[in-house]
Amino acid sequence: MIVTVTLNTALDLTYRVPALTPHASHRVTQVIERPGGKGLNVARVLAALGHETVATGFAGGATGATLRDQLAATPVRDELVETAGTTRRTVAVVDTASGDTTQLNEPGPTVTAAEWNAFRARFTELLDGARAVALCGSLPPGIHVGAYAELIRLARTAGVPVLLDTSGEPLRRGIAARPDLVKPNADELAQLTGAREPHRATRDARRRGARAVVSSLGPEGMLAATPEGLWRATPPAAVKGNPTGAGDSAVAGLLSGLVDDAPWPERLTRAVALSAATVLSPVAGEFDAPAYEELLTRVTVTAETP
Amino acid sequence: MIVTVTLNTALDLTYRVPALTPHASHRVTQVIERPGGKGLNVARVLAALGHETVATGFAGGATGATLRDQLAATPVRDELVETAGTTRRTVAVVDTASGDTTQLNEPGPTVTAAEWNAFRARFTELLDGARAVALCGSLPPGIHVGAYAELIRLARTAGVPVLLDTSGEPLRRGIAARPDLVKPNADELAQLTGAREPHRATRDARRRGARAVVSSLGPEGMLAATPEGLWRATPPAAVKGNPTGAGDSAVAGLLSGLVDDAPWPERLTRAVALSAATVLSPVAGEFDAPAYEELLTRVTVTAETP
């Protein structure tokens, strides 16, 4: 099984309005509600690919209960730890005309020391039997900035490959704990390394401690620096659509390839194809399964010289 | 006891953000969640004034459960009827800098014929022992446009005074069923009568069937056309603040005066003072109790010639 960790889960609401006008009143024409937070998105895609998937992290209060009800309707196994605080909501307001999105994110509850200890115990139990672990998204209030580094050390001790997908200081500290894989986007990479040129920044990030770095370059695909070599993976053409969740789908593709012991070019092909198939899907964060199958045959992977 | 009816209840969320920018991402700095819908606001104010108050209408799903949990923490008695559909949310996004509000309203669930019948039965039971009834707000999907007219006839048959606070076609149909009191604002009045001049529009509305019409003129106070005469009630000075809920507080003031058998000038004084004390309160929809007591002595009521 694959374990995904979402410390800062959210109940994601998507509101459609004709066009958002500040200081006006709007009738929402469509409401979509679903379990959110990057790790839960990754888990949903992994489960759709047929992988046995477990989601852990925190959930609490009325919104946490709604999130867990909705998770129960998916093949993802719920191993979330209860918090006294109430799970946050995020609201994505989508203008129907332009497709542009305005995002409102609640801060989320503070996690107590006792809750963090309960989570660590649950995480350690789940490592027994895990084929891979993904640590995804931001840290909620109350959790120390070295939390991902701590979880990476636990996974390494248990011999379970670990992927980290976060940003800022938690990414910097996490990399130093030597995860097997990090998946920054261009902004996260630049923030981490100070370098804007993707090849240089990707290699710099790897020198900080990650066994492999896969940088997502948006519509231009991905760049991978690994012990086996450097690769660039490119989708057949720029795809148009909603990029929400494309990065999480890429993480799912990388994990899927990892647990199947696929060579790097195959892992990158899955990641780029899933990412593009997510942009193409009419529902934000879902992927278009026929498009994914078709894209798998059309992603280009080229080895690059260091 | 006073019965308030809210057919289209809502879980009201207030989000504070520094400033709302379309198509950007925002961290919400403060979240306030509370039972909403006009009738529930009226009930909360009545209870704060010391009146025994019952709230009925519909609630369902996870948001309905949260709303009822929160209502249980107030002195208002919960007589809401359960729906299979999920209670809507409303989101008020308040810019911290300017205080301006952007409103997003979910459509809410469709009420079934069986649920409407269950509500009518509950309403009829509650009329036994009611001193007054308030019918407040919009009609949810699935409820026929003459619903308020039907409830007004039930209340009249039971000999219970009934106040109607709604707009559009439900107001037009409701007035024809001869309620004791309607409380339109200037826009609702103009939409109903086609007249913009407040005196003329208020008297026109009364001729359509309401025993009394109290028109709210925003910061300029209220105008009342009643069988006992015409009055104008004015706050001591224009008050600055958040007008959210000021109209609902005015309804509570009118009901409070009605069940206390107060003469019209006293009823209008309560309504205007509560309305202004609500604008002055730092929390939207609450009223500033000391300001209310002080304003009671400073509202001016003048008899007007027809």
Side-chain angles (χ1 to χ4, degrees):
Chain A
M1 73 185 182
I2 302 173
V3 176
T4 70
V5 172
T6 319
L7 297 178
N8 209 3
T9 57
L11 186 64
D12 282 348
L13 307 181
T14 304
Y15 283 176
R16 281 200 174 270
V17 298
L20 183 69
T21 310
H23 316 150
S25 188
H26 305 76
R27 276 177 202 274
V28 175
T29 55
Q30 190 193 35
V31 181
I32 299 169
E33 193 178 78
R34 55 168 217 174
K38 292 167 80 71
L40 288 178
N41 299 339
V42 171
R44 203 166 32 227
V45 174
L46 282 170
L49 293 173
H51 294 283
E52 193 194 337
T53 309
V54 173
T56 186
F58 296 106
T63 44
T66 302
L67 182 154
R68 298 181 81 159
D69 279 352
Q70 295 179 350
L71 195 60
T74 75
V76 175
R77 193 172 106 211
D78 176 354
E79 290 283 352
L80 295 164
V81 172
E82 191 75 22
T83 51
T86 297
T87 296
R88 69 197 175 115
R89 280 166 290 229
T90 73
V91 181
V93 185
V94 180
D95 288 15
T96 302
S98 65
D100 288 325
T101 299
T102 309
Q103 189 72 37
L104 296 156
N105 298 327
E106 294 188 12
T110 298
V111 175
T112 66
E115 288 163 352
W116 172 244
N117 288 340
F119 168 77
R120 247 185 350 203
R122 181 79 61 98
F123 179 74
T124 307
E125 279 167 36
L126 291 171
L127 285 173
D128 185 18
R131 300 281 314 279
V133 170
L135 309 175
C136 303
S138 57
L139 297 175
I143 290 192
H144 70 96
V145 74
Y148 280 140
E150 193 180 341
L151 299 181
I152 289 164
R153 285 190 291 268
L154 288 171
R156 286 172 51 88
T157 302
V160 180
V162 56
L163 180 152
L164 177 64
D165 184 15
T166 187
S167 59
E169 193 60 21
L171 173 59
R172 188 183 303 271
R173 301 264 191 126
I175 284 191
R178 307 197 161 269
D180 293 86
L181 180 55
V182 295
K183 193 218 65 60
N185 62 30
D187 284 346
E188 289 158 357
L189 205 56
Q191 202 197 350
L192 178 72
T193 65
R196 267 276 158 204
E197 197 285 306
H199 283 78
R200 185 173 154 200
T202 302
R203 286 194 310 260
D204 275 9
R206 193 167 169 252
R207 272 197 291 273
R208 286 166 183 268
R211 191 164 184 276
V213 177
V214 177
S215 305
S216 59
L217 310 174
E220 280 147 56
M222 307 189 103
L223 199 61
T226 81
E228 288 82 43
L230 270 177
W231 282 277
R232 183 170 198 126
T234 319
V239 288
K240 280 196 84 161
N242 186 342
T244 304
D248 301 330
S249 291
V251 167
L254 293 170
L255 284 168
S256 170
L258 181 131
V259 299
D260 288 351
D261 278 326
W264 273 105
E266 166 67 15
R267 296 186 195 185
L268 295 170
T269 298
R270 291 190 195 178
V272 168
L274 270 176
S275 186
T278 300
V279 174
L280 286 171
S281 166
V283 181
E286 309 283 318
F287 70 94
D288 180 327
Y292 169 57
E293 292 298 333
E294 198 260 341
L295 281 160
L296 278 178
T297 65
R298 292 175 59 217
V299 172
T300 314
V301 182
T302 50
E304 310 229 322
T305 45
Chain B
M1 74 185 181
I2 302 173
V3 177
T4 69
V5 172
T6 319
L7 298 177
N8 210 3
T9 56
L11 186 64
D12 283 346
L13 307 181
T14 303
Y15 283 176
R16 281 198 174 271
V17 299
L20 183 68
T21 311
H23 316 151
S25 188
H26 306 75
R27 276 177 201 274
V28 175
T29 55
Q30 189 192 36
V31 181
I32 298 168
E33 194 179 79
R34 54 168 218 175
K38 292 167 81 72
L40 289 178
N41 299 340
V42 171
R44 202 166 34 225
V45 175
L46 284 169
L49 292 174
H51 294 284
E52 193 193 336
T53 309
V54 172
T56 186
F58 296 105
T63 45
T66 301
L67 182 153
R68 298 182 81 160
D69 279 352
Q70 294 179 351
L71 195 60
T74 75
V76 175
R77 194 172 105 211
D78 175 354
E79 289 283 352
L80 295 165
V81 172
E82 191 74 23
T83 51
T86 297
T87 297
R88 70 197 174 113
R89 279 165 291 228
T90 73
V91 181
V93 185
V94 180
D95 288 13
T96 302
S98 65
D100 288 326
T101 298
T102 309
Q103 189 71 36
L104 296 156
N105 297 329
E106 293 188 11
T110 297
V111 175
T112 66
E115 288 163 352
W116 173 244
N117 288 340
F119 169 77
R120 247 186 350 205
R122 181 79 62 98
F123 180 73
T124 306
E125 279 167 36
L126 290 171
L127 285 173
D128 184 17
R131 299 282 315 279
V133 169
L135 310 174
C136 303
S138 57
L139 297 175
I143 289 191
H144 70 96
V145 74
Y148 280 140
E150 194 181 341
L151 299 181
I152 288 164
R153 285 189 291 269
L154 288 171
R156 285 172 52 87
T157 303
V160 179
V162 56
L163 180 154
L164 176 64
D165 185 14
T166 187
S167 59
E169 193 59 21
L171 173 60
R172 188 183 303 272
R173 302 265 190 123
I175 283 191
R178 307 195 163 269
D180 293 85
L181 181 54
V182 295
K183 193 218 64 63
N185 61 30
D187 284 345
E188 289 158 357
L189 204 56
Q191 202 197 349
L192 178 73
T193 64
R196 267 278 158 202
E197 197 284 308
H199 282 79
R200 184 173 156 200
T202 301
R203 286 193 310 261
D204 275 10
R206 193 166 169 251
R207 272 196 292 273
R208 287 166 182 267
R211 190 162 184 277
V213 177
V214 177
S215 305
S216 59
L217 310 174
E220 280 147 55
M222 309 188 102
L223 199 60
T226 81
E228 287 81 43
L230 270 177
W231 282 277
R232 184 171 197 126
T234 318
V239 288
K240 281 197 84 162
N242 187 340
T244 305
D248 302 330
S249 289
V251 167
L254 293 170
L255 285 168
S256 171
L258 181 132
V259 300
D260 288 350
D261 278 327
W264 273 106
E266 166 66 15
R267 297 187 195 186
L268 296 169
T269 298
R270 290 191 197 180
V272 169
L274 270 176
S275 186
T278 301
V279 174
L280 286 171
S281 167
V283 181
E286 308 284 319
F287 71 96
D288 179 326
Y292 169 58
E293 292 298 332
E294 197 262 341
L295 281 158
L296 278 177
T297 65
R298 293 176 61 215
V299 172
T300 315
V301 183
T302 51
E304 310 228 322
T305 45

